[in-house]
């Protein structure tokens, strides 16, 4: 069965989603929504950088796209600085009877205990009204800290702690709003950015530790957060701007799910803008990685290394986020209506994506 899909936004993640929809044998691109009027009328293949046309023109007319009655919308519009607008978008799409896979708002990947019930209730109500499903995921929050660690725990005798890392250099991540405004890189160390305001880390990644705990059958007592920042030793440039000497250039934070006075499920991020910063902090495998450490019997360390075909790990991360959503579309369309979590879906694989004529064989 072929599912008709609308791509909602064509930014860093959305353009990769278009490529993924086009490559998937069970999906058909039915439409593309854009917020920028300058993109309206342009072909989806051009916006995705595919070097060819797909015969689908982008539009700013959301009503026209919903009138197409697609099976699913891939929603990748940024929500960090427009939370209420994003929630309203999702409710509108769901009420129209259209399923959604989305990269945001991230707390909706597992909202119970993370946000008050009245925040998620309108989304659940819209899904019930439209008879549609919503699944929020990606790579982090998402695959790197839901299925990846949970599968690893299946070969344990005893589990003391599950710790999920993102260890990445963000210097090639070309999103100034995220890097400078939200994460606070390039700002004085005594100035707290949006991400480090009290409770925001737990809002963004509390869903990770609570979903892990639920998957392990553990009821958490509390969720705690902490962070540490390091200054730039000199002034240097990154892809989206300049980091002045003495301003924030590295960030390490934890969101800890606590039980019995100790952490049992932990999300840790180690983010650098130069590889020489924080030499005593956890180091990545390769250019960058997602890591799972299970402490118990036995002890495990699993590294998921990222690198795109362009040689950049941040490209790979954006592609992974997009494809986590795109490849789950058939399962989400088949699922009962409602707000879904990773614990609700069957195993999503790359079924149908092996293209023998594109295989690169080792020399």
């Amino acid at each position: 069965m072929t599912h008709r899909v609308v791509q909602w936004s064509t930014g860093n993640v959305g353009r990769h989603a278009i490529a993924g929809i086009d490559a998937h044998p069970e999906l058909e691109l039915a439409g593309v929504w854009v917020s920028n009027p300058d993109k309206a009328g342009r072909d989806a293949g051009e916006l995705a950088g595919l070097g060819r046309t797909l015969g689908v023109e982008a539009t700013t007319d959301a009503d026209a796209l919903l009138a197409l009655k697609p099976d699913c919308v891939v929603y990748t519009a940024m929500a960090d600085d427009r939370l209420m607008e994003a929630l309203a978008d999702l409710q509108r799409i769901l009420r129209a009877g259209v399923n959604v896979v989305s990269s945001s708002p991230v707390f909706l990947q597992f909202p119970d205990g993370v946000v008050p019930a009245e925040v998620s209730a309108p989304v659940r109500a819209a899904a019930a009204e439209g008879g549609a499903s919503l699944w929020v995921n990606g790579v982090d929050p998402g695959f790197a800290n839901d299925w990846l660690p949970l599968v690893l725990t299946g070969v344990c005798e005893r589990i003391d702690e599950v710790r999920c890392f993102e260890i990445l250099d963000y210097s090639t991540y070309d999103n100034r709003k995220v890097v400078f405004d939200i994460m606070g890189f390039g700002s004085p160390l005594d100035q707290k950015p949006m991400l480090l305001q009290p409770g925001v880390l737990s809002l963004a990644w509390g869903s990770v530790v609570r979903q892990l705990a639920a998957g392990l059958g553990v009821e958490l007592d509390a969720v705690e957060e902490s962070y540490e920042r390091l200054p730039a030793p000199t002034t240097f440039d990154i892809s989206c701007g300049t980091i002045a000497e003495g301003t924030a250039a590295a960030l390490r934070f934890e969101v800890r799910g606590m039980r019995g006075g100790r952490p049992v499920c932990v999300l840790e991020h180690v983010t650098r803008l130069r590889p020489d910063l924080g030499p005593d902090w956890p180091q990545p495998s390769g250019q960058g990685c997602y890591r799972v450490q299970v402490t118990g019997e036995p002890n495990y360390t699993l590294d998921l290394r990222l690198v795109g075909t362009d040689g950049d790990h941040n490209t790979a991360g954006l592609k992974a986020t997009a494809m986590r959503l795109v490849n789950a579309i058939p399962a989400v369309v088949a699922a009962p209506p409602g707000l879904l979590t990773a614990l609700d879906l069957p195993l999503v694989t790359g079924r149908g994506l092996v293209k023998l004529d594109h295989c690169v064989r080792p020399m």
Side-chain angles (χ1 to χ4, degrees):
M1 177 184 294
T2 299
H3 300 295
R4 299 172 65 249
V5 180
V6 164
Q7 173 57 40
W8 207 278
S9 88
T10 59
N12 279 341
V13 175
R15 61 191 181 88
H16 291 299
I18 290 174
I21 295 165
D22 179 61
H24 200 290
E26 297 178 24
L27 305 178
E28 173 191 342
L29 184 66
V32 175
W33 181 87
V34 289
S35 60
N36 185 347
D38 293 340
K39 291 184 178 181
R42 294 172 61 184
D43 188 86
E46 177 192 353
L47 293 174
L50 297 182
R52 56 187 171 85
T53 60
L54 298 181
V56 177
E57 291 186 354
T59 179
T60 58
D61 191 341
D63 289 331
L65 291 175
L66 294 179
L68 296 174
K69 297 295 182 183
D71 296 296
C72 193
V73 161
V74 181
Y75 187 91
T76 56
M78 188 171 175
D80 294 349
D81 60 345
R82 48 181 296 279
L83 183 58
M84 300 313 296
E85 293 91 337
L87 289 170
D89 287 344
L90 294 176
Q91 292 168 48
R92 176 186 185 184
I93 298 167
L94 291 168
R95 280 195 299 268
V98 180
N99 301 290
V100 186
V101 293
S102 177
S103 57
S104 60
V106 292
F107 59 76
L108 286 178
Q109 78 152 349
F110 194 87
D112 296 342
V114 180
V115 293
E118 55 265 28
V119 175
S120 59
V123 178
R124 297 181 193 272
E129 180 182 341
S133 293
L134 167 65
W135 189 61
V136 177
N137 213 264
V139 69
D140 184 338
F143 175 77
N145 33 61
D146 54 43
W147 281 6
L148 191 66
L150 287 173
V151 167
L152 189 58
T153 65
V155 287
C156 291
E157 176 186 306
R158 187 191 78 249
I159 299 169
D160 299 328
E161 179 187 280
V162 178
R163 180 174 292 259
C164 302
F165 296 82
E166 178 188 88
I167 311 174
L168 292 179
D169 182 328
Y170 270 37
S171 63
T172 60
Y173 182 44
D174 194 11
N175 189 323
R176 185 176 178 87
K177 181 176 288 292
V178 170
V179 173
F180 284 83
D181 299 342
I182 294 175
M183 300 186 73
F185 288 116
S187 299
L189 291 178
D190 59 358
Q191 185 179 105
K192 281 188 181 181
M194 173 183 169
L195 185 66
L196 301 181
Q197 296 298 318
V200 173
L201 289 174
S202 294
L203 177 66
W205 283 277
S207 57
V208 166
V209 297
R210 290 191 179 277
Q211 183 165 244
L212 278 174
L216 296 172
V218 176
E219 184 174 345
L220 298 178
D221 299 327
V223 173
E224 300 177 353
E225 60 184 51
S226 63
Y227 68 88
E228 180 182 0
R229 303 163 87 192
L230 296 177
T234 60
T235 297
F236 62 94
D237 292 328
I238 60 174
S239 62
C240 57
T242 298
I243 304 298
E245 179 180 351
T247 64
L251 170 65
R252 181 182 185 182
F253 68 77
E254 288 187 4
V255 178
R256 298 179 294 273
M258 308 295 291
R259 176 69 178 182
R262 66 177 181 85
V264 292
C265 299
V266 182
L267 183 284
E268 180 174 350
H269 273 212
V270 179
T271 310
R272 299 175 172 90
L273 299 184
R274 275 181 22 180
D276 60 322
L277 299 173
D280 56 330
W281 290 0
Q283 297 292 331
S285 173
Q287 295 181 28
C289 74
Y290 290 98
R291 177 173 297 157
V292 179
Q293 284 184 348
V294 179
T295 305
E297 180 55 44
N299 298 307
Y300 294 107
T301 298
L302 175 66
D303 278 357
L304 177 65
R305 296 174 59 174
L306 296 87
V307 60
T309 53
D310 63 356
D312 184 58
H313 55 284
N314 282 310
T315 301
L318 294 168
K319 179 73 75 172
T321 294
M323 296 315 305
R324 175 69 159 154
L325 300 175
V326 169
N327 289 336
I329 289 173
V332 171
V333 170
L339 180 54
L340 306 173
T341 76
L343 303 179
D344 298 317
L345 293 187
L347 177 65
V348 174
T349 72
R351 182 181 179 88
L353 300 182
V354 175
K355 311 291 186 183
L356 295 180
D357 56 334
H358 285 80
C359 286
V360 178
R361 293 177 173 81
M363 299 297 291

